[in-house]
Amino acid sequence: GHVLVAGGARGLTGAPGLTATAAMRAGAGYVTVCVPDSLNDIFEIKLTEVMSRACPASDGHLDPGAAEAVLAATERAAAVALGPGLGRWDGAPELVAGVAAGVEVPLVIDADGLNALIARLGSLRERSNATVLTPHEGELGRLLETESAQVRASRLESARQAAERSGAIVVLKGDDSIVVHP
């Protein structure tokens, strides 16, 4: 199938590159990265077996308006990975919300895509297709607006809480990764 990876920012090109490479190695027949237009040449050189789509950007980050370009690129996608190397910036929550609301295929949200969901976890409940969140303890703490020590002390309960709030499958990464379905 076709996997679409949306992310990347100045200084963070490795994360979407690793995600795209992992998708290829896992058996995806076709992989596309949606990245800031100012960084597209880096991806063209780095990922010779991956298609790239230059999306609107400002200051080295995907512009919130890039959600439209990412959604257009999902037309052939069987799954979307959102957030690797996205970076933390003011427009990220709007971009992630726009993509998450419009993607009509399974969606994996990782890394800075998760950080963009702080105080917005419930917005994912409206999705009709599978959604998977892949936080580590620190990211899950931020999503639940609590300390990572609290997550560490009650990993299963914290993962369950995030799954219920979001309606998503939660894969809490760590030495004992936990997978929770809402």
Side-chain angles (χ1 to χ4, degrees), residues 35-47 52 54:
V35 296
D37 54 11
S38 58
L39 303 175
N40 191 61
D41 289 347
I42 292 169
F43 289 96
E44 287 285 325
I45 293 167
K46 185 176 191 156
L47 301 170
S52 69

Side-chain angles (χ1 to χ4, degrees), residues 44-106:
E44 287 285 325
I45 293 167
K46 185 176 191 156
L47 301 170
T48 57
E49 296 178 6
V50 172
M51 302 297 132
S52 69
R53 181 172 286 204
C55 295
S58 56
D59 197 30
H61 296 280
L62 287 172
D63 190 271
E68 187 175 314
V70 171
L71 292 173
T74 66
E75 183 177 298
R76 295 175 50 194
V80 173
L82 175 61
L86 186 63
R88 295 184 192 183
W89 51 282
D90 293 343
E94 182 181 343
L95 174 69
V96 169
V99 172
V103 168
E104 296 180 3
V105 296

Side-chain angles (χ1 to χ4, degrees), residues 103-128:
V103 168
E104 296 180 3
V105 296
L107 173 66
V108 177
I109 304 176
D110 189 37
D112 288 328
L114 295 169
N115 290 318
L117 290 172
I118 295 170
R120 295 175 170 85
L121 200 51
S123 67
L124 298 174
R125 293 194 70 73
E126 303 302 316
R127 286 190 36 79
S128 59

Side-chain angles (χ1 to χ4, degrees), residues 130-168:
T131 306
V132 180
L133 308 179
T134 60
H136 54 60
E137 290 173 354
E139 290 164 335
L140 187 55
R142 288 190 291 276
L143 285 172
L144 296 175
E145 301 179 81
T146 188
E147 297 296 319
S148 60
Q150 176 64 33
V151 171
R152 190 174 310 111
S154 57
R155 289 174 52 79
L156 181 57
E157 182 54 39
S158 296
R160 283 179 175 155
Q161 186 179 5
E164 288 303 317
R165 283 190 194 178
S166 65

